Amino acid sequence: MGLLTGLRNSIARMTTSLFSGGQQQRRIGIYGPPNAGKTTLANRIARDWTGDAVGPESHIPHETRRARRKEDIEIERNGKSVSIDIVDTPGVATKVDYTEFLEHDMEEDDAVRRSREATEGVAEAMHWLREDVDGVIYVLDAAEDPFTQVNTMLVGIIESQDLPVLIFANKIDLDEASVQRINNAFPQHETVPLSALEGDNMDEVYDKIAEYFG
């Protein structure tokens, strides 16, 4: 997304906020490291409330290499309705090495291309974070160590932007999942356990989205 496009979008949202008599539309970015289940969550939310999907899911890292947006999602909870756009962003990593794709039986040319696209996707995700989101859902794999440079950096940037943020501890269906480990890593933020794949605890997920972003 270019600077002029971002500026036009920001002005459009401000105009809508000032002159619209309806509810303000909030743009919520779904962030986190690769393979945390961001697209699975985005698809779960979109399908539950619109019947549509956001994008393809894969066990291969960096399947999402461009931000994808699903607009006009109306979530109704406890007599209250919240209207959001969700932005499924590429997984953020400090380095994207093409050799990791070779482990998934890719040809070298395809692996190099994918790593280049993934690197560009990281830059795009950071632009969205600094310019074009009103709140953040930060998705972590509860079976992995949350104490990483990427997670510390991203949560710090989100806090510096003064954005409302929910941390989702995903993949609680796995035996090695530990929600407490994520609580310990980021005690300053509320952590919501879920399995986007299995649909576990989605009622609480929607309650919290309505509470934080409504």
Side-chain angles (χ1 to χ4, degrees):
M1 176 183 296
L3 180 59
L4 291 178
T5 302
L7 182 60
R8 283 197 299 268
N9 289 344
S10 297
I11 292 173
R13 292 207 312 278
M14 290 174 63
T15 303
T16 300
S17 169
L18 288 171
F19 299 107
S20 171
Q23 186 183 50
Q24 182 180 358
Q25 194 86 359
R26 295 189 180 274
R27 185 173 292 170
I28 308 303
I30 300 179
Y31 279 81
N35 275 20
K38 298 179 296 300
T39 301
T40 304
L41 174 64
N43 284 340
R44 171 71 62 178
I45 295 171
R47 287 189 179 115
D48 281 354
W49 298 100
T50 72
D52 299 326
V54 175
E57 303 167 22
S58 174
H59 67 283
I60 302 175
H62 302 285
E63 177 65 28
T64 302
R65 300 183 295 284
R66 300 290 297 182
R68 300 187 183 101
R69 183 170 62 188
K70 180 64 179 174
E71 299 180 325
D72 301 323
I73 297 175
E74 296 281 344
I75 297 176
E76 297 181 358
R77 306 303 292 174
N78 303 317
K80 177 182 178 181
S81 178
V82 56
S83 181
I84 63 173
D85 300 341
I86 57 173
V87 183
D88 178 28
T89 66
V92 176
T94 53
K95 179 182 179 182
V96 182
D97 190 339
Y98 81 95
T99 58
E100 67 180 301
F101 302 120
L102 298 178
E103 300 172 3
H104 297 276
D105 297 325
M106 283 190 184
E107 296 293 334
E108 184 168 340
D109 287 348
D110 291 336
V112 170
R113 174 185 53 79
R114 191 182 183 101
S115 67
R116 182 172 61 251
E117 292 173 350
T119 301
E120 293 169 353
V122 170
E124 182 189 21
M126 299 309 295
H127 177 84
W128 275 95
L129 182 58
R130 291 189 171 96
E131 302 291 339
D132 277 315
V133 295
D134 304 304
V136 172
I137 292 171
Y138 198 79
V139 183
L140 289 169
D141 182 343
E144 299 290 337
D145 183 4
F147 292 96
T148 68
Q149 180 181 357
V150 166
N151 292 334
T152 301
M153 175 191 71
L154 276 177
V155 172
I157 292 173
I158 293 165
E159 291 172 343
S160 72
Q161 297 290 99
D162 200 26
L163 293 168
V165 57
L166 277 170
I167 293 181
F168 284 179
N170 193 26
K171 305 188 183 183
I172 59 171
D173 53 298
L174 300 179
D175 291 339
E176 59 270 33
S178 172
V179 177
Q180 187 59 49
R181 186 166 50 193
I182 294 176
N183 274 321
N184 294 342
F186 303 105
Q188 71 273 35
H189 298 293
E190 184 161 7
T191 297
V192 181
L194 75 149
S195 170
L197 180 64
E198 300 295 335
D200 296 342
N201 203 38
M202 292 306 296
D203 282 340
E204 183 180 2
V205 165
Y206 295 136
D207 286 345
K208 291 302 180 181
I209 288 175
E211 177 185 341
Y212 272 68
F213 306 126

